[in-house]
Amino acid sequence: MRAVVVHGAGDLRVEERPDPTPRLGQVAIGVSYGGICGSDLHYYRHGAVGDFRLREPLVLGHEVSGHVLGGSGFEPGTPVTVHPATPCRSCPECAAGRPNICRRARYLGSAAHFPHVQGGFSDVLVVAADQVRPLPDGLAVRRAAVAEPTAVAWHAVRQAGDVRGRRVLVTGAGPIGCLVVAVLQAAGAAEIVVTDVHSRPLDVARAVGATHTFTVGEREEVEADVAIESSGSPAGFSTCLRSVRRGGTVVGLGLLPPGDAAIAANLIVTRELRVVGSFRFDGELDEVLPRLGGLAVDPVVTAVLPVARVAEAFELAGDPARSCKVLLDFVTMG
Amino acid sequence: MRAVVVHGAGDLRVEERPDPTPRLGQVAIGVSYGGICGSDLHYYRHGAVGDFRLREPLVLGHEVSGHVLGGSGFEPGTPVTVHPATPCRSCPECAAGRPNICRRARYLGSAAHFPHVQGGFSDVLVVAADQVRPLPDGLAVRRAAVAEPTAVAWHAVRQAGDVRGRRVLVTGAGPIGCLVVAVLQAAGAAEIVVTDVHSRPLDVARAVGATHTFTVGEREEVEADVAIESSGSPAGFSTCLRSVRRGGTVVGLGLLPPGDAAIAANLIVTRELRVVGSFRFDGELDEVLPRLGGLAVDPVVTAVLPVARVAEAFELAGDPARSCKVLLDFVTMG
Amino acid sequence: MRAVVVHGAGDLRVEERPDPTPRLGQVAIGVSYGGICGSDLHYYRHGAVGDFRLREPLVLGHEVSGHVLGGSGFEPGTPVTVHPATPCRSCPECAAGRPNICRRARYLGSAAHFPHVQGGFSDVLVVAADQVRPLPDGLAVRRAAVAEPTAVAWHAVRQAGDVRGRRVLVTGAGPIGCLVVAVLQAAGAAEIVVTDVHSRPLDVARAVGATHTFTVGEREEVEADVAIESSGSPAGFSTCLRSVRRGGTVVGLGLLPPGDAAIAANLIVTRELRVVGSFRFDGELDEVLPRLGGLAVDPVVTAVLPVARVAEAFELAGDPARSCKVLLDFVTMG
Amino acid sequence: MRAVVVHGAGDLRVEERPDPTPRLGQVAIGVSYGGICGSDLHYYRHGAVGDFRLREPLVLGHEVSGHVLGGSGFEPGTPVTVHPATPCRSCPECAAGRPNICRRARYLGSAAHFPHVQGGFSDVLVVAADQVRPLPDGLAVRRAAVAEPTAVAWHAVRQAGDVRGRRVLVTGAGPIGCLVVAVLQAAGAAEIVVTDVHSRPLDVARAVGATHTFTVGEREEVEADVAIESSGSPAGFSTCLRSVRRGGTVVGLGLLPPGDAAIAANLIVTRELRVVGSFRFDGELDEVLPRLGGLAVDPVVTAVLPVARVAEAFELAGDPARSCKVLLDFVTMG
């Protein structure tokens, strides 16, 4: 089978590998589509994500959809997607009902552990049966490739509290920011204001439900009830802090650079804000799947390229001025 | 009467002024003690607190206790303290039950409005009757001078959620940090870890209930359930963010410098922290008063000086290596 | 003008009264439609609602829409609806940001105070300007007549917490229960199970978004995440308590009979349920109005009768086997 | 060894049984004291607790303290108490961080499973090592016998939210009600009002911190912020519902009879109350132990009887007019 393997910073290869065989309790999946995520881009560009540094070649990818080839408990041919996380179920966070922040979680396509947890950008992916999610009737396999990042957005909106009838600011119109917009719209937000440094991502944001969009600098502040920081930049974080009303809520979702970030933290105190992080998700994937057919997420996918064009796909995915979510297509021979 | 008036940065005077007379609905209070707060020090040193700049002479002080001289609804001689805030009762924050962050609140001894709201460092203070709080039987007037900052601490502990049985970190052992410690102890925290840049304030912290103390640098991290930032420094804020467990709570209480502050904000996201501000208080003063007799707050007051020595008192209050809370004494002729 | 006036149990009259004139700060509204609510039915049948007993003739009605005739601050002809509540803004509940449970609130068409607060079932209604809500562009005046009960439903769903992706049980498919279904659907509930003693109301429930419906007795329990009690019967309340999972939430919305009600309260303890009441609403009316055009509420209105047929309208509204929400039409001459 | 075994309703025996031997991962404890709980009394009187009916002889008891005899990981002689619950760690409630309501939990001395889980009223008790809790220095073994019910009370106060400065009503001054009072006092409640049908239990309540006590009928209502129902009676539950202010909180802690209970449930709706159950506990035992030395719980233990007088002990424990918590003493030869 083909696999998309990163060997170090800038060294991304499509390799032939033997097809893996599922053991008891495992399922083999023929992968159809895989979405390129920010962490995939980080491994590709820097050979690392935060403190997690490549120590051996790593198959990238954790946003995948496809069909069951064989294994435990699923009919071959069943269209599926995959829950990429395996929490430990015993640490204090898991015991507290928060496996999304499990301190020992394993995640598809991640160098956090050694040996690394190999990812899903390959023709065949073998995972534990309890990570497999059959698609509801009528949900296209291609759309299911965005189920995972939509679950990330879903969790972030949960962290925000009741958004019905509220004015919500979203800073950053990348794939996650735009999926947050789609989820906010479905959750009944009254106004969804989106900012980005580029203008093209704002077109996507409007297509998925933003009611007002601004490029950064155009307009500094709105009095929002809630802000969801999806840019991963300190400037975006400060915009959120400055833009919510006194007593309002800011959800920190975009991954900030490690170390200190200069943000308007004094406003947390003087305006008595509530700032909550949002990291990955847990059961939200199961909540998203039955509703994904009804969510306006298609405009988020701005390109689908065959695996053979993986370098081009990664370049495109890494340029927010030109693209939003980019999918790798393992079906079409390219 | 005598009044402690700031005319500009570094220009603090004890002036003779005519005794004010209460109008209908007002009460005249003979002030006995007044606690010097960080905002008093700011007006004295910088002629401003944040954006609030002196535009006319200002009587300082909002932490006062004394006895009723006359006016509406209180027996002369009644020992009392004063609620320094007058919220507007009509803005969105007031309507949401959060008058402590009222956008139009008036506060004793503040240049936020013009004409300024004159403060309580004077022999006679006239306030609205609904700001007056009679002291419970047995509560000494001197101790009542710390009721106001204790209410600030009480509110911060409320923002933290249930602290019973928890390990709590407090960064900064100034007057507010130490009062937070006393309140935490009364609220049933299991361990109270306190850090400060100086070692003397940590003596006070231990005297009011800290179970472990460290000077900054001695020990960087504890795995706390909750952290209450009372230093007002970005470094203290980062220590809090780094020291709480995944999913833990940080309360931002110390006023940070205006503008951006460099803090470890990325941990909010990756550890899914909850960070909540704590600003002033509302009904907490009424909760504190009946319990103030039983709280171990006396060690927080490290000096009581007669008004005649106000300059010395302000110098002392401004030196955290030598003092914690400093009271002005309006009773003793000095 | 005509007014629908109840003089005592069973004594409902359409009377001619002089047109009222707005004073300063008031607005006169030409009423177009008025929805008949359970409390209107209670006054009509029993001469009382709970402890509130008729002591003088009362114009019924608090769910009205129409057009401005004149008065302060609104252009004549503006299509509007009305917020029926006037909280005192000073009691502890108001101060806590919960004016919907204000202990001194005045409500249109209510005998809670004496003289009674006359209601809105009349050709002309005069209210304070701050009770008037202009309709958003495109919202039909007839649909706006259900804005008030939809705000009741909206508040109840807020009390439930995040319902996205959840299985929700609604007991009772009367007007409020069906509006709860419509709001749940818009709020992203995954499954909405509705029960009623009659089968016809369940047709309405399905038309507004119920995914599963049962007549009582057909099926006793579902393992729901959340249950919203909208029947006002102890049996419905017990069904909710029995049907939510351990640790789940029950919202009590339907008004139960005064005095004791026999319910499965032991489950609150052994399954550690959270049971929260939901009473009226506050700002939710302003959140509902911009979204009312997009909510599937039309099937809830099962009859619109001219005022001249008020007796027939009340009989119909009082028979849940035959009708859901019944509107009085003040426009059509009948 | 001796064991206190119930064979059926009214049939309680002290039997000789072979000493059990710990297996790998288990610990043998020499029991010193065991507290008689309401569920022990139910098995003794009715041969059942709710739906859990005796199907084989059952050693009673789940509130025990003593010393390690041998086994995994603890020094012989270590003074200890025991966590009586073994949650499944995999059901939805466990996954949600709420193992106290685990649907498959095993509990010492319970007929919920078959074979029954044998309890701790025996000279030797063998439990899993992770159920053993060493006592903190200075905590007497006898006092540690009330650690378990104190953890129950601790959890209930947690369910109540922040009680500092609040007026709290406790209905029922049995062992649990009185421990709730002690915990409330330590948690900073301003006023603790306790009601009971008998006057003697109110003496205990005052000894552990109640500020006001009333026998039922003497005074019907107080406007409390929070009420904790500890009587297990529908009348007590209604008193709680009637006595909290609008928007207040009621914690249901006392086990109500199975089936329907007649309570003033309409107030949940019209006063928008929050009613939350409180069932057992989880980590609260670990929070209680370091603080048990400082809690005023001694007056709760009104009798300590040697095992030989078990029948008398159970009769006494079952008579709330004469006793509060009764301990069995396995040390003293009687």
Side-chain angles (χ1 to χ4, degrees):
Chain A
M1 66 167 193
R2 299 166 300 173
V4 176
V5 186
V6 62
H7 286 254
D11 182 358
L12 188 68
R13 312 178 194 169
V14 179
E15 298 180 354
E16 272 302 318
R17 295 198 167 187
D19 279 15
T21 315
R23 293 195 307 273
L24 190 66
Q26 290 187 323
V27 176
I29 294 165
V31 173
S32 301
Y33 296 96
I36 299 172
C37 170
S39 65
D40 299 316
L41 288 167
H42 261 77
Y43 283 121
Y44 166 54
R45 289 176 171 169
H46 310 294
V49 171
D51 292 340
F52 307 146
R53 187 156 291 283
L54 288 177
R55 299 166 59 192
E56 60 177 340
L58 176 69
V59 180
L60 292 174
H62 55 269
E63 307 174 359
V64 295
S65 60
H67 298 84
V68 170
L69 298 174
S72 301
F74 293 91
E75 206 58 35
T78 306
V80 295
T81 186
V82 172
H83 197 307
T86 310
C88 76
R89 300 287 172 202
S90 66
C91 71
E93 287 75 30
C94 281
R98 298 178 68 173
N100 61 310
I101 48 171
C102 168
R103 52 183 74 186
R104 291 192 287 268
R106 298 169 63 84
Y107 218 80
L108 283 190
S110 158
H113 294 78
F114 185 81
H116 299 342
V117 182
Q118 300 296 318
F121 287 169
S122 55
D123 287 314
V124 183
L125 168 65
V126 169
V127 293
D130 64 7
Q131 293 181 262
V132 179
R133 299 292 185 278
L135 305 189
D137 286 352
L139 180 61
V141 171
R142 206 186 97 169
R143 182 177 282 202
V146 298
E148 199 264 3
T150 306
V152 170
W154 192 271
H155 179 65
V157 174
R158 171 151 295 149
Q159 295 293 86
D162 191 351
V163 296
R164 294 179 306 134
R166 304 299 192 207
R167 181 186 291 144
V168 185
L169 170 70
V170 178
T171 48
I176 289 294
C178 286
L179 289 168
V180 165
V181 170
V183 171
L184 283 170
Q185 210 247 7
E191 291 179 53
I192 306 170
V193 185
V194 184
T195 65
D196 199 288
V197 290
H198 301 291
S199 64
R200 288 285 292 274
L202 296 174
D203 297 341
V204 178
R206 277 190 301 275
V208 295
T211 56
H212 307 78
T213 60
F214 302 97
T215 53
V216 168
E218 217 184 321
R219 181 182 168 179
E220 257 303 272
E221 296 184 26
V222 287
E223 185 163 290
D225 301 295
V226 169
I228 302 184
E229 202 313 286
S230 308
S231 76
S233 73
F237 213 107
S238 283
T239 298
C240 289
L241 294 170
R242 275 196 304 268
S243 301
V244 292
R245 56 173 173 74
R246 289 170 177 234
T249 291
V250 172
V251 177
L253 173 59
L255 291 170
L256 292 162
D260 286 346
I263 64 171
N266 65 313
L267 299 177
I268 299 174
V269 180
T270 55
R271 296 187 187 168
E272 210 168 74
L273 306 180
R274 185 175 77 98
V275 182
V276 288
S278 185
F279 188 67
R280 294 179 179 167
F281 60 89
D282 179 44
E284 285 85 354
L285 183 60
D286 303 295
E287 299 175 32
V288 160
L289 280 172
R291 300 185 62 80
L292 193 54
L295 284 177
V297 298
D298 275 345
V300 174
V301 177
T302 51
V304 185
L305 276 82
V307 176
R309 294 165 62 190
V310 65
E312 185 185 342
F314 269 68
E315 285 306 315
L316 192 58
D319 183 352
R322 286 195 300 144
S323 76
C324 195
K325 175 62 71 182
V326 175
L327 302 187
L328 289 176
D329 172 349
F330 288 80
V331 181
T332 309
M333 288 301 132
Chain B
M1 68 167 192
R2 299 166 300 173
V4 177
V5 185
V6 62
H7 287 253
D11 182 358
L12 189 68
R13 311 178 194 168
V14 179
E15 299 181 352
E16 274 301 318
R17 296 197 167 189
D19 279 14
T21 315
R23 291 195 308 272
L24 188 68
Q26 290 187 323
V27 177
I29 295 165
V31 173
S32 301
Y33 297 96
I36 299 173
C37 171
S39 65
D40 298 318
L41 289 166
H42 261 77
Y43 283 121
Y44 166 54
R45 289 175 171 171
H46 308 294
V49 170
D51 293 340
F52 307 145
R53 188 157 291 283
L54 288 176
R55 299 165 62 191
E56 60 177 339
L58 176 69
V59 180
L60 292 175
H62 54 269
E63 307 175 0
V64 296
S65 60
H67 298 83
V68 169
L69 298 175
S72 302
F74 293 91
E75 207 55 36
T78 307
V80 296
T81 185
V82 172
H83 197 307
T86 311
C88 76
R89 301 286 173 205
S90 66
C91 71
E93 288 73 31
C94 282
R98 299 179 68 173
N100 61 311
I101 47 171
C102 169
R103 52 183 73 184
R104 291 191 288 267
R106 297 169 64 84
Y107 218 79
L108 282 190
S110 159
H113 294 78
F114 185 81
H116 298 342
V117 182
Q118 300 296 318
F121 286 170
S122 55
D123 287 312
V124 182
L125 169 65
V126 169
V127 294
D130 64 6
Q131 292 182 262
V132 179
R133 299 291 186 278
L135 305 189
D137 287 351
L139 180 60
V141 170
R142 205 186 98 168
R143 182 176 283 203
V146 299
E148 198 265 3
T150 307
V152 169
W154 192 272
H155 180 65
V157 174
R158 172 149 293 147
Q159 295 293 86
D162 191 351
V163 297
R164 294 179 306 136
R166 306 296 192 207
R167 181 185 292 144
V168 185
L169 170 70
V170 179
T171 50
I176 288 293
C178 286
L179 289 168
V180 165
V181 170
V183 171
L184 283 170
Q185 212 246 8
E191 291 179 54
I192 306 170
V193 185
V194 184
T195 65
D196 200 289
V197 289
H198 301 291
S199 64
R200 289 284 291 277
L202 296 174
D203 298 340
V204 179
R206 277 191 300 275
V208 295
T211 57
H212 307 77
T213 60
F214 302 98
T215 53
V216 168
E218 218 184 318
R219 181 182 169 182
E220 257 303 272
E221 297 184 25
V222 289
E223 185 164 292
D225 301 296
V226 169
I228 302 183
E229 202 315 284
S230 309
S231 75
S233 73
F237 213 108
S238 283
T239 299
C240 289
L241 294 170
R242 274 195 305 268
S243 301
V244 293
R245 58 172 172 73
R246 289 170 177 232
T249 291
V250 173
V251 177
L253 173 60
L255 290 171
L256 292 162
D260 285 346
I263 64 170
N266 65 312
L267 299 177
I268 299 174
V269 180
T270 56
R271 296 187 187 169
E272 211 168 74
L273 306 179
R274 184 175 78 96
V275 182
V276 287
S278 185
F279 187 69
R280 297 179 177 165
F281 59 89
D282 178 45
E284 285 86 354
L285 183 61
D286 302 294
E287 299 176 33
V288 160
L289 279 172
R291 300 185 61 79
L292 193 55
L295 283 177
V297 298
D298 275 345
V300 174
V301 177
T302 52
V304 184
L305 277 82
V307 176
R309 294 165 62 192
V310 65
E312 185 184 343
F314 269 67
E315 285 307 315
L316 192 58
D319 183 352
R322 289 194 299 144
S323 77
C324 198
K325 175 62 71 183
V326 175
L327 302 186
L328 289 176
D329 173 349
F330 288 82
V331 179
T332 308
M333 288 300 131
Chain C
M1 68 168 191
R2 296 166 301 172
V4 176
V5 186
V6 62
H7 286 253
D11 182 358
L12 188 69
R13 311 179 195 168
V14 179
E15 298 181 351
E16 272 302 319
R17 297 196 165 189
D19 279 15
T21 315
R23 293 195 307 272
L24 188 67
Q26 289 188 323
V27 176
I29 295 165
V31 174
S32 301
Y33 297 96
I36 299 173
C37 170
S39 65
D40 298 318
L41 288 168
H42 261 75
Y43 284 121
Y44 165 53
R45 287 178 172 168
H46 309 294
V49 170
D51 293 340
F52 306 146
R53 187 157 289 283
L54 288 177
R55 297 166 62 190
E56 61 176 339
L58 176 68
V59 179
L60 292 175
H62 54 268
E63 307 174 359
V64 295
S65 61
H67 297 83
V68 169
L69 298 175
S72 303
F74 292 92
E75 206 56 37
T78 307
V80 295
T81 185
V82 172
H83 197 307
T86 312
C88 75
R89 299 288 171 203
S90 67
C91 71
E93 288 73 31
C94 282
R98 299 178 67 174
N100 60 311
I101 48 171
C102 168
R103 52 183 73 185
R104 290 192 288 266
R106 298 170 62 83
Y107 217 80
L108 281 191
S110 158
H113 294 77
F114 185 81
H116 299 341
V117 182
Q118 300 296 319
F121 287 170
S122 54
D123 286 313
V124 183
L125 169 66
V126 168
V127 294
D130 64 6
Q131 293 182 261
V132 179
R133 299 292 185 279
L135 305 189
D137 287 351
L139 179 61
V141 171
R142 206 186 97 168
R143 183 176 281 203
V146 298
E148 198 266 4
T150 306
V152 169
W154 191 271
H155 179 65
V157 173
R158 173 151 292 150
Q159 295 292 87
D162 191 351
V163 297
R164 294 179 307 135
R166 304 299 193 208
R167 180 186 292 146
V168 185
L169 171 70
V170 179
T171 49
I176 289 295
C178 286
L179 290 169
V180 165
V181 170
V183 171
L184 284 170
Q185 212 246 7
E191 291 179 54
I192 306 171
V193 184
V194 184
T195 65
D196 199 289
V197 290
H198 301 291
S199 63
R200 289 283 291 276
L202 296 174
D203 297 341
V204 178
R206 278 190 301 275
V208 295
T211 58
H212 305 78
T213 60
F214 302 97
T215 53
V216 169
E218 218 184 318
R219 182 180 169 181
E220 258 302 273
E221 297 182 26
V222 288
E223 186 163 291
D225 300 296
V226 169
I228 302 184
E229 203 313 287
S230 308
S231 76
S233 73
F237 213 108
S238 283
T239 298
C240 289
L241 294 170
R242 276 196 303 269
S243 300
V244 293
R245 57 173 173 71
R246 288 169 178 235
T249 292
V250 172
V251 177
L253 173 60
L255 291 170
L256 291 164
D260 286 347
I263 65 169
N266 66 312
L267 300 177
I268 299 174
V269 180
T270 57
R271 296 188 187 168
E272 211 168 74
L273 305 180
R274 184 175 78 97
V275 182
V276 287
S278 185
F279 189 67
R280 296 178 178 168
F281 59 89
D282 179 45
E284 285 86 353
L285 183 61
D286 302 295
E287 299 176 33
V288 160
L289 279 172
R291 300 186 61 80
L292 193 55
L295 283 177
V297 297
D298 276 344
V300 174
V301 177
T302 51
V304 185
L305 276 81
V307 176
R309 292 165 62 190
V310 67
E312 185 185 342
F314 269 68
E315 285 306 314
L316 193 58
D319 183 353
R322 287 194 299 145
S323 76
C324 197
K325 176 61 74 183
V326 176
L327 302 186
L328 289 177
D329 172 350
F330 287 80
V331 180
T332 308
M333 288 300 132
Chain D
M1 68 166 191
R2 296 167 301 173
V4 176
V5 185
V6 63
H7 285 255
D11 182 359
L12 188 70
R13 310 177 195 170
V14 179
E15 298 182 352
E16 273 300 320
R17 297 197 165 188
D19 278 15
T21 316
R23 293 194 306 272
L24 188 68
Q26 289 187 322
V27 176
I29 295 165
V31 174
S32 301
Y33 297 96
I36 299 173
C37 170
S39 65
D40 299 318
L41 288 167
H42 261 77
Y43 283 123
Y44 165 53
R45 289 176 172 171
H46 309 293
V49 170
D51 294 340
F52 306 147
R53 187 156 291 282
L54 288 176
R55 296 166 61 190
E56 60 175 341
L58 176 68
V59 179
L60 292 175
H62 55 269
E63 307 175 359
V64 296
S65 61
H67 298 85
V68 170
L69 299 175
S72 303
F74 293 91
E75 206 57 37
T78 307
V80 295
T81 186
V82 172
H83 197 307
T86 313
C88 76
R89 299 288 172 202
S90 67
C91 71
E93 287 74 31
C94 282
R98 300 179 68 173
N100 61 311
I101 47 169
C102 168
R103 54 183 73 186
R104 291 191 288 266
R106 298 169 64 83
Y107 217 79
L108 282 190
S110 158
H113 293 79
F114 185 82
H116 299 341
V117 182
Q118 299 296 319
F121 286 170
S122 55
D123 286 313
V124 183
L125 169 65
V126 169
V127 293
D130 63 7
Q131 293 181 262
V132 179
R133 299 291 185 280
L135 305 189
D137 286 352
L139 179 61
V141 171
R142 205 186 97 168
R143 183 176 281 204
V146 299
E148 198 265 2
T150 306
V152 170
W154 192 272
H155 179 65
V157 175
R158 173 150 293 147
Q159 294 292 87
D162 191 350
V163 297
R164 294 180 307 135
R166 305 298 192 206
R167 181 185 292 145
V168 185
L169 170 71
V170 179
T171 49
I176 289 293
C178 286
L179 290 168
V180 165
V181 170
V183 171
L184 283 170
Q185 212 246 6
E191 291 179 54
I192 306 171
V193 185
V194 184
T195 65
D196 200 288
V197 289
H198 301 291
S199 63
R200 288 285 291 277
L202 296 174
D203 297 341
V204 179
R206 277 189 301 274
V208 295
T211 57
H212 306 78
T213 60
F214 302 98
T215 53
V216 169
E218 218 184 318
R219 182 181 168 179
E220 256 304 273
E221 295 184 25
V222 289
E223 185 164 291
D225 300 297
V226 169
I228 302 185
E229 202 314 286
S230 307
S231 74
S233 73
F237 214 108
S238 282
T239 298
C240 289
L241 294 171
R242 275 196 303 267
S243 301
V244 293
R245 58 174 172 72
R246 289 170 179 235
T249 291
V250 173
V251 177
L253 173 59
L255 291 171
L256 291 163
D260 286 347
I263 64 171
N266 65 310
L267 300 176
I268 300 173
V269 181
T270 56
R271 295 186 187 169
E272 210 167 75
L273 306 179
R274 184 176 77 98
V275 181
V276 288
S278 185
F279 189 67
R280 295 178 178 167
F281 58 89
D282 179 44
E284 284 86 354
L285 183 60
D286 302 295
E287 298 175 33
V288 161
L289 280 171
R291 300 185 63 78
L292 193 55
L295 282 177
V297 297
D298 276 345
V300 174
V301 177
T302 51
V304 184
L305 277 81
V307 175
R309 291 165 64 190
V310 65
E312 187 185 340
F314 269 67
E315 285 306 315
L316 193 58
D319 184 352
R322 287 194 300 145
S323 75
C324 197
K325 175 62 73 183
V326 176
L327 301 186
L328 289 176
D329 171 350
F330 288 82
V331 180
T332 308
M333 287 301 131

